[in-house]
Amino acid sequence: MDMNLPPAEELRLVDQELARLDARRSELLARRAWLLRVLYAPAPPVAPPFAPVAPGRETSPRSAQNVLLTLGGTLLGIAALAFTLVSWGSMGIAGRAAVLLVVTSAALAAPAALLRRGLASTAEAIGALGLLLAVLDAYALRRVALAGTDGTAYAAVAAAVLAGLWAGYGAVLPRLRLPVPAAVAAAQLPVPLGVLAAGGGPTAFAWAAVLTAAADVVLLGRPVAVAARVTAAVGAAGLTAWALLTGGWLSVAEPWSGAALLLGCAAVCLGAARAAGPAAGALGAVAGLAAVAAVGGPLRAALPAAWAVPVYVVCGLALASLWRPVRVARVPGPVRAGFGVAGGGVAALGVAWALPPVLGGLLGPADRGAGIWSGVHAEPVPGGFPATAVLVLLLAAGASAVAGRPWGRWGAVALGWAALMALPVCLGLPYAAGLAVRLVAVAAGLAVAVRPGLPLRGLPEPGPAVRERAEAAGPWGASWTVPRRPSAPVDARVLVGWTGYGAGLAAAASAVLSALDARGATFGVLGVLLGLFAAAAVAGSGAVREAAAGAAVLAAAGLVGAGAAAAGLSAAGAGLALLVVPAATAALAARVRSVAVEAVGAGTGVVAVALTAGRPAVLATALAVAGVVAAATALRPERRPAASWAAGALFLAAAWVRLAVWGVAVPEAYTLPVTVPALVVGFLRRRRDPAASSWSAYGPGLAVTLLPGLVAVWAVPAGPRPLLLGAGALAVTLLGARYRLQAPLVLGGAVLVLVGLHELAPYVARLVGALPRWVPMAGAGLLLLAVGATYERRLREARRLRERLARMR
């Protein structure tokens, strides 16, 4: 290494050499570790030379055997089929009989010998070939000896004979798995095909399917092989489905014929449910639906068309009543559950059918052709809907009420309210009666909201843990005094209570929409709603109290607005009148401490101010009144921060609007009312917190006046504004320097400099214009030379200035 190099260069070379040595050391250590592993690793077993390597087996011997047997049986079957269909005619009658006898007998007899030798798989394949040959023999016999017979009748007889032969063959050789399922599959055909051969129609064919399915169900209850049971189940399912479709069609066209067929299908499903455990519930539901259709069809045909849906709903509810945990003719629990699902589904479809008049009663008044207070009453949208819709809703509500579950009581509340809303539409009630029904719905919903435990009375007591939660949280999720023994879990009380309140609120909106047809109705409905919601707010607690109080304020605002409209006031006048509502709610909230009352009152105030926007003079008055209300609210400690800021903003906006109305264009008239209170607030804050920054205390207030004034000075150079603004900026700068405050010093100084530049600019421009053009260039050069010569001292002075500013606040 060269020792004569500079120290920096020599240090760089030393570092490079050390890095190279570290890399080489790491490489040698890695090689040493590998050599140690190779040296001390156990020696692998020595394989003999030229030893064959056995490849991995991908199939088991039994799998290969089954594939070969299946392929062999399939090929033999294809060959037999080809022989029967193609080569049959080239042989005489003796040859045909000999071939049929020899081949079929050999195929059916071989499995016995194979089973004795333990070749079960081979016997299964040959047996399957024998079953196929038997079908081909039946076909061949029909083509040769019985060509004149009816094809359907022959198929029915052949299927019956084959079913018997295969069943006997399976009994003789029980170790074969195919004969019995094949016999069951063949047994599905004789009765339906025999009915078709006899000229039976769809009804007779459906009954044949039911009888065959019943036989399959009987087989399901017997101790037979699983394959046979599966075959019987598939056959029963297909035949019963066909019979159900036929029965449903007949229930409309021929109710009595369809009723008998549907009852037969229901019996088959119930029988299958006893044997099929996992599917018992589904089969019970299908049986229940079939029974409802069977009973409801004749009743529907005997009654007017308007009673069709109620009939099915009654049948469905009667079926659903079997769901209750009682022993009904030894019906298993899953089947009873299926009954409940089926009956409930029918009732739900009936309720869905009855919903249009509910929506018409709720939203119909919104479809208004004439104007407000025109005296013209709009007709409901689903006109002519049968009155039985109300009966359906009441039936469903009663069934839900007696269900003995919290969800049932909740459904009863919702359905009862729906029945009330559908009543004016279905019965075609007069206008006044319709309004009265809607108000009754409001009262009922609010009653449930105030006392959510009433609909749940009589239900079983909840467990200790649920009772403790209910006593701690209450029915609306907040603390207050609650009964010691709630009649239902807390979740049910919350659900029922909110449902009642939502129903009452929806009915109230519908009543208001409908009341807009007439002036007297508007005042009457709004007055009643005000009383109802106020009563609910007084009687309720927690969330219902807040919600009802807010709705009461809305009703009061509606009354004020209606009064203003009736008095013929303009929009601005109505806005001033509406300001009574936020003023009253502010006074009321100071006593009752209701957030909802304050929120709705504030929203009404926003609407009131917006209504006066068309007349600026009235808008200024409205803003001032709103500011007074906000200032009064700020007297309350818990509302002071937000209300005080809102009051200040409203007063400022009122002043600005008033100045605009007077035609004042001087910007200081708009900014000084902000600057003075802002500086006072900043001074008070600095007295309370001396560590507060001057930028947060005085910066906003000073900027509000200084910056717009500076823009006005540069925009409109004439007038006394530059002198006044410069004097003010000078005073602010001196105060900042005196009290060591950064914000006044910086803002005042900057504005003072810019105002001075503005005043000096015309003279500079005239002077520059009078001088030769080389003079500015020379002056700029001399300035640069002077700055460069004193650069270090100027930097030190700038650094000191920055440090002095940093020490200020």
Side-chain angles (χ1 to χ4, degrees):
M1 183 175 296
D2 191 356
M3 300 298 180
N4 296 322
L5 294 174
E9 182 65 21
E10 185 177 356
L11 178 62
R12 185 181 64 81
L13 293 176
V14 169
D15 290 340
Q16 290 180 353
E17 189 65 25
L18 290 175
R20 190 179 299 109
L21 291 175
D22 290 339
R24 182 58 179 168
R25 176 180 173 81
S26 300
E27 181 181 353
L28 292 175
L29 288 175
R31 180 65 178 175
R32 181 177 182 277
W34 181 82
L35 292 173
L36 289 174
R37 286 197 303 270
V38 172
L39 184 60
Y40 296 104
V46 180
F50 309 106
V53 180
R57 294 182 174 86
E58 296 182 354
T59 59
S60 64
R62 182 169 295 277
S63 299
Q65 175 190 6
N66 292 336
V67 171
L68 294 177
L69 291 175
T70 303
L71 290 175
T74 303
L75 293 176
L76 288 176
I78 294 173
L81 182 62
F83 174 77
T84 304
L85 296 178
V86 178
S87 302
W88 186 263
S90 61
M91 300 180 64
I93 187 62
R96 300 172 191 171
V99 169
L100 284 174
L101 179 61
V102 172
V103 176
T104 305
S105 300
L108 293 177
L114 294 173
L115 288 173
R116 286 194 297 270
R117 294 178 176 271
L119 302 176
S121 299
T122 306
E124 197 75 50
I126 301 300
L129 177 62
L131 299 179
L132 177 61
L133 288 175
V135 176
L136 295 178
D137 290 344
Y139 170 76
L141 180 62
R142 165 76 169 77
R143 289 290 303 273
V144 173
L146 302 173
T149 59
D150 180 68
T152 305
Y154 179 80
V157 174
V161 172
L162 289 175
L165 291 176
W166 289 345
Y169 186 68
V172 174
L173 299 175
R175 294 176 59 185
L176 294 181
R177 291 175 294 179
L178 289 179
V180 175
V184 174
Q188 310 299 311
L189 302 177
V191 177
L193 292 179
V195 169
L196 290 179
T203 304
F205 183 82
W207 273 110
V210 169
L211 293 176
T212 305
D216 291 332
V217 170
V218 172
L219 182 61
L220 287 176
R222 303 295 297 273
V224 296
V226 175
R229 290 167 57 86
V230 171
T231 306
V234 172
L239 294 172
T240 305
W242 178 266
L244 284 171
L245 292 176
T246 305
W249 171 70
L250 289 175
S251 179
V252 177
E254 301 176 11
W256 288 103
S257 299
L261 182 59
L262 289 172
L263 289 177
C265 294
V268 170
C269 291
L270 290 178
R274 289 181 174 273
L283 291 171
V286 174
L289 291 174
V292 169
V295 177
L299 294 177
R300 173 193 54 79
L303 294 174
W307 289 88
V309 176
V311 163
Y312 285 108
V313 170
V314 170
C315 295
L317 292 177
L319 178 68
S321 64
L322 302 179
W323 165 79
R324 296 178 64 85
V326 295
R327 297 181 63 85
V328 182
R330 300 182 181 275
V331 178
V335 176
R336 284 191 284 107
F339 287 167
V341 171
V346 172
L349 290 176
V351 170
W353 170 81
L355 284 181
V358 179
L359 297 178
L362 186 63
L363 304 176
D367 184 18
R368 188 181 308 282
I372 296 176
W373 292 354
S374 63
V376 178
H377 308 309
E379 294 293 331
V381 175
F385 212 86
T388 52
V390 178
L391 177 61
V392 169
L393 293 172
L394 291 177
L395 287 173
S400 298
V402 300
R405 294 290 188 276
W407 57 263
R409 302 298 175 85
W410 168 79
V413 171
L415 291 170
W417 171 83
L420 282 176
M421 296 304 298
L423 198 62
V425 176
C426 292
L427 299 184
L429 296 179
Y431 177 70
L435 284 178
V437 170
R438 290 181 174 90
L439 292 177
V440 169
V442 176
L446 292 181
V448 173
V450 172
R451 295 291 182 268
L454 290 177
L456 302 173
R457 183 172 296 175
L459 295 181
E461 292 290 336
V466 177
R467 186 181 298 115
E468 290 177 2
R469 290 200 306 269
E471 292 177 354
W476 286 86
S479 301
W480 59 85
T481 303
V482 296
R484 291 185 178 180
R485 293 171 60 85
S487 58
V490 60
D491 293 340
R493 293 170 66 88
V494 171
L495 180 61
V496 170
W498 277 117
T499 301
Y501 182 79
L505 194 62
S510 177
V512 171
L513 287 174
S514 182
L516 292 178
D517 291 348
R519 178 180 301 180
T522 301
F523 284 98
V525 167
L526 287 174
V528 173
L529 291 178
L530 175 59
L532 289 176
F533 282 106
V538 173
S541 56
V544 68
R545 174 180 177 273
E546 290 290 315
V553 174
L554 279 178
L559 278 174
V560 175
L569 298 179
S570 62
L576 286 178
L578 276 177
L579 288 175
V580 176
V581 176
T585 55
L588 180 64
R591 298 177 58 87
V592 299
R593 295 290 192 271
S594 174
V595 177
V597 169
E598 292 183 82
V600 178
T604 305
V606 172
V607 174
V609 172
L611 288 175
T612 62
R615 298 180 59 183
V618 182
L619 175 61
T621 304
L623 289 170
V625 173
V628 171
V629 175
T633 305
L635 297 176
R636 296 163 52 192
E638 72 276 8
R639 296 287 182 263
R640 185 168 298 149
S644 60
W645 283 101
L650 288 170
F651 283 135
L652 181 63
W656 284 355
V657 172
R658 179 57 61 186
L659 290 173
V661 171
W662 289 340
V664 176
V666 179
E668 287 77 10
Y670 295 88
T671 59
L672 285 177
V674 181
T675 296
V676 174
L679 292 177
V680 172
V681 171
F683 176 74
L684 296 177
R685 180 184 178 187
R686 289 271 301 174
R687 288 187 61 183
R688 187 173 63 252
D689 182 15
S693 173
S694 63
W695 286 103
S696 62
Y698 302 118
L702 293 174
V704 166
T705 293
L706 292 177
L707 297 182
L710 182 62
V711 172
V713 165
W714 283 85
V716 184
R721 180 178 288 111
L723 179 60
L724 295 176
L725 182 61
L730 178 60
V732 170
T733 304
L734 293 176
L735 288 173
R738 170 66 180 80
Y739 294 102
R740 300 177 59 82
L741 297 176
Q742 191 179 102
L745 181 61
V746 173
L747 286 175
V751 172
L752 183 61
V753 170
L754 291 174
V755 170
L757 289 176
H758 174 268
E759 294 302 308
L760 188 62
Y763 303 102
V764 173
R766 285 197 296 270
L767 179 62
V768 170
L771 293 175
R773 297 197 174 187
W774 58 269
V775 173
M777 297 292 184
L782 291 174
L783 178 62
L784 292 175
L785 287 175
V787 171
T790 60
Y791 180 72
E792 186 176 359
R793 186 163 57 88
R794 296 289 182 266
L795 285 179
R796 186 166 55 251
E797 292 175 355
R799 190 178 301 110
R800 290 175 181 173
L801 178 61
R802 185 183 62 186
E803 292 174 354
R804 293 192 191 100
L805 288 175
R807 286 195 295 269
M808 295 181 180
R809 293 194 177 276

